[in-house]
Amino acid sequence: MKKIYEESRIIGQHTGWSVSKIFLMLNTLVWAVLSCLCGAVILFLTVHTLAGYGSLLFCAAGYGGIFGGFFGGSLYWYRFIGNDADIAKEN
């Protein structure tokens, strides 16, 4: 998550957008992609095909992105990053 935060700060400096919003968006996307890839690997190893399992992969990516990315990123932000004075002024 530290790497995602560093990338969020760089994007925020160049665009002028809020670092917290960029961080949560990137974190959610990363977790969604990772959970979709993990779901695809598990499906391929167990069923030996991915055909017909698009809705299952979509749900895996959605739930992984929301719970791991958005909620986990929010908790990470408030526990570790939100305490910095320069970040608190920015938001």
Side-chain angles (χ1 to χ4, degrees):
M1 283 197 200
K2 289 182 182 181
K3 185 68 174 168
I4 296 173
Y5 172 69
E6 292 169 6
E7 294 297 324
S8 300
R9 283 192 71 120
I10 292 170
I11 293 171
Q13 289 172 352
H14 291 297
T15 61
W17 297 342
S18 172
V19 175
S20 62
K21 292 176 184 175
I22 297 169
F23 172 76
L24 287 177
M25 180 192 65
L26 288 177
N27 198 39
T28 302
L29 286 174
V30 166
W31 276 88
V33 169
L34 287 176
S35 61
C36 186
L37 290 174
C38 288
V41 168
I42 291 170
L43 272 175
F44 189 73
L45 291 176
T46 57
V47 185
H48 303 293
T49 185
L50 296 178
Y53 292 100
S55 61
L56 185 62
L57 288 176
F58 182 75
C59 288
Y63 284 117
I66 291 295
F67 290 117
F70 186 75
F71 294 142
S74 297
L75 290 174
Y76 180 80
W77 181 266
Y78 288 121
R79 288 186 70 201
F80 299 110
I81 300 171
N83 296 331
D84 295 340
D86 60 334
I87 303 297
K89 283 188 259 181
E90 181 183 57
N91 294 326

